[in-house]
Amino acid sequence: MILDVIASQRLDSRGNPTVQVEVRTAHGTFRSLVPSGASTGVHEAVELRDNDQSKYGGMGVLKAVNNINEIIGPALIKEGYDPQHDLKQIDGFMRELDGTPNKAKLGANAILGVSMACARAGTAAANIPLYEFLRRESGEESPYVVPVPFFNVLNGGKHSGNGMAFQEFMIAPTGARTIEEGVRMASETYHCLKGIISEKFGAIYTGIGDEGGFAPPITQPEEALDLLTEAVAKAGYTDKIKFGIDPASSEFFDSKYGTYDLGFKSIPEGESHSESVRTPKEMMDLYNSLMEKYPIPLLEDPFAEDDWDSWTKFCADYKEELVGDDLLVTNVERVRMAESRAACNAMLLKVNQIGTVTEAIDAAKLAKSLDWGVFVSHRSGETTDDFIADLTVGLGTGHIKSGAPCRGERVAKYNRLMDIEAELKGSWKPWFYAGEQFRKPEAFFIG
Ligand code: 2PG
Ligand code: MG
């Protein structure tokens, strides 16, 4: 039984307000903190902001906080839900209470905070770890999978101030045997990268972007991948660390002309675009040439959220993992649309894109049933809440991205994953580190 629900306004990793929720039951008080994106998809559930310019530049979340304290909390307590068994009903009830298709009335940031805190309350009542609770919620039965972490070590796009259009260049220790080893490999590579950047561009360029990655003065994807190649070699992990890219291309798509502007961060004054405008065909050629030259088993959002034709064309003979983020927004309806158009072969999972834990689980289950990969993700505006680490293990998705191996809100997730791995090691439970099988970890076990 829920005894109390208390929401407060706190800060996220960008220094913007976010929602904190505390749910009290007979088993204790359970807290959640809600993340927030910068390169948000237009089809995402609505994050309610106060728009009161006199406070926090309009970014306050007191409306969402009040919606919890005055509407959601009292209604949930009255219904008498039991978080241990009723998480799906709790989420469904909040959805109905909101009444809009995108949680615009009460705010997805309000609803998600309550949903996450209720999951933790249910976990405590069941006296099991959170990943175990979420595993039960999702009906997962295969062996436990410790995911491959994808570390975003070079930040561009909306996440940094350099001229790089592509948002994320990630390193993935697929050749590690455990996540503990993978984290060490990534951390060592990260420090090698810092040294290389310092040498090439000067120490002033070792400052970091929103997700803890470096943001040196580069503009071309090849420059980024060459830096990564050099850092990986210097650390001694060639062939053991692979790369992932998230251009987050919705951010530089011009829907009027159907083109992509790779110079969108440095458009000359008075102009509407830079000199680096590319057609979808040119983007496809660019991606294909990068794939040929570097080990890149994962590409996310290479095309904009509604540029369906390009997705479909590119996916047709694409062998690696093609992840839909803005395209799918963790929404079962968008996943079905993408399936019918054969637009991608993996789903990015961000809990705040859809706004409840059980809807995110449903989207992951649907994606898995289509034989797609599922890639769990943080947001660029994060908190120290490590919920998604447990979610990844609970769902057995095989991979997660949580930024660089640096900054408290990023490493909170990696540290929690190492705790989970240590716990699994000391248990009777069958488990493995996803490694090269991060796309479809079940295949590892089936053989
Ligand atoms: C993304 C994310 C997370 P944001 O595009 O995948 O890395 O960025 O949270 O800004 O949408
Ligand atoms: Mg993305």
Side-chain angles (χ1 to χ4, degrees):
M1 288 270 285
I2 298 170
L3 303 174
D4 213 351
V5 181
I6 301 165
S8 321
Q9 177 168 269
R10 296 292 181 258
L11 289 184
D12 74 11
S13 60
R14 270 195 280 257
N16 289 325
T18 192
V19 176
Q20 172 178 284
V21 180
E22 289 173 312
V23 165
R24 192 164 63 82
T25 69
H27 298 274
T29 300
F30 306 96
R31 179 181 281 185
S32 70
L33 280 154
V34 177
S36 168
S39 61
T40 42
V42 295
H43 304 289
E44 291 192 21
V46 173
E47 180 182 81
L48 203 59
R49 295 277 175 191
D50 296 345
N51 294 321
D52 169 2
Q53 294 304 325
S54 71
K55 294 195 181 78
Y56 285 115
M59 296 293 278
V61 291
L62 291 176
K63 282 183 192 163
V65 163
N66 287 343
N67 286 344
I68 296 171
N69 289 335
E70 280 157 31
I71 302 171
I72 300 174
L76 278 182
I77 294 166
K78 199 162 153 223
E79 292 295 312
Y81 286 120
D82 170 7
Q84 188 183 347
H85 303 290
D86 302 337
L87 190 61
K88 214 176 167 84
Q89 287 87 323
I90 290 171
D91 287 351
F93 177 76
M94 289 193 287
R95 240 180 9 249
E96 271 176 36
L97 202 60
D98 174 85
T100 69
N102 55 3
K103 304 184 176 68
K105 191 169 153 221
L106 297 173
N109 44 349
I111 292 172
L112 177 66
V114 176
S115 179
M116 285 162 67
C118 282
R120 285 210 165 96
T123 299
N127 196 22
I128 52 175
L130 179 58
Y131 65 85
E132 200 65 69
F133 180 82
L134 295 169
R135 184 174 155 95
R136 285 185 195 173
E137 280 296 321
S138 72
E140 188 59 46
E141 281 175 349
S142 51
Y144 294 75
V145 183
V146 175
V148 172
F150 278 64
F151 298 89
N152 181 12
V153 293
L154 285 174
N155 294 183
K158 275 203 158 176
H159 295 170
S160 79
N162 68 1
M164 170 63 72
F166 282 20
Q167 183 176 279
E168 302 172 20
F169 293 89
M170 296 171 266
I171 54 171
T174 52
R177 281 155 300 183
T178 60
I179 195 166
E180 196 182 339
E181 188 185 23
V183 166
R184 178 171 57 76
M185 289 163 62
S187 164
E188 290 167 8
T189 305
Y190 181 75
H191 287 103
C192 287
L193 181 61
K194 184 173 183 175
I196 293 166
I197 290 171
S198 183
E199 229 167 75
K200 279 203 164 77
F201 306 101
I204 195 170
Y205 288 111
T206 54
I208 55 177
D210 284 0
E211 297 190 352
F214 301 108
I218 54 174
T219 55
Q220 303 303 311
E222 289 87 348
E223 291 177 277
L225 293 161
D226 285 343
L227 283 174
L228 295 193
T229 305
E230 198 181 330
V232 168
K234 197 168 169 201
Y237 297 124
T238 303
D239 297 333
K240 288 192 167 176
I241 288 186
K242 297 198 170 143
F243 306 147
I245 304 181
D246 177 9
S249 65
S250 301
E251 299 304 321
F252 50 88
F253 181 62
D254 185 334
S255 55
K256 193 164 163 207
Y257 300 104
T259 52
Y260 294 85
D261 190 347
L262 293 178
F264 83 106
K265 289 167 82 178
S266 45
I267 295 174
E269 239 185 85
E271 303 285 331
S272 60
H273 55 79
S274 80
E275 281 178 355
S276 306
V277 172
R278 302 279 183 274
T279 63
K281 168 77 174 63
E282 286 167 338
M283 291 301 288
M284 289 180 210
D285 293 344
L286 171 61
Y287 296 129
N288 284 327
S289 74
L290 296 177
M291 303 294 151
E292 249 169 54
K293 201 167 159 203
Y294 306 94
I296 308 173
L298 181 151
L299 179 61
E300 176 184 328
D301 277 4
F303 304 102
E305 52 216 341
D306 290 311
D307 186 9
W308 288 100
D309 287 350
S310 298
W311 278 93
T312 303
K313 234 176 253 163
F314 190 66
C315 192
D317 39 32
Y318 193 71
K319 300 281 175 297
E320 305 291 351
E321 187 167 61
L322 193 55
V323 186
D325 171 11
D326 290 353
L327 181 78
L328 306 174
V329 293
T330 318
N331 182 320
V332 290
E333 279 168 36
R334 300 277 301 179
V335 171
R336 287 206 186 91
M337 277 165 81
E339 191 226 353
S340 71
R341 294 172 196 234
C344 61
N345 58 34
M347 182 190 87
L348 197 79
L349 188 156
K350 286 169 168 166
V351 278
N352 82 324
Q353 278 184 329
I354 189 68
T356 64
V357 174
T358 54
E359 282 172 289
I361 291 175
D362 285 346
K365 282 167 72 176
L366 174 61
K368 277 191 168 194
S369 75
L370 303 174
D371 206 26
W372 287 11
V374 176
F375 187 27
V376 175
S377 171
H378 65 156
R379 296 308 306 244
S380 51
E382 260 297 331
T383 74
T384 45
D385 193 316
D386 55 10
F387 191 94
I388 59 166
D390 285 76
L391 183 63
T392 309
V393 177
L395 293 172
T397 69
H399 48 338
I400 179 174
K401 65 169 182 173
S402 175
C406 167
R407 292 181 61 139
E409 77 282 3
R410 311 294 150 190
V411 301
K413 283 69 163 174
Y414 300 132
N415 285 341
R416 172 66 187 147
L417 284 166
M418 288 191 284
D419 287 346
I420 295 174
E421 183 175 81
E423 192 172 300
L424 289 171
K425 261 186 201 162
S427 76
W428 50 266
K429 296 171 184 171
W431 72 276
F432 62 96
Y433 173 70
E436 299 286 347
Q437 302 294 332
F438 66 85
R439 276 178 80 170
K440 289 178 195 150
E442 312 82 50
F444 183 87
F445 217 73
I446 297 160

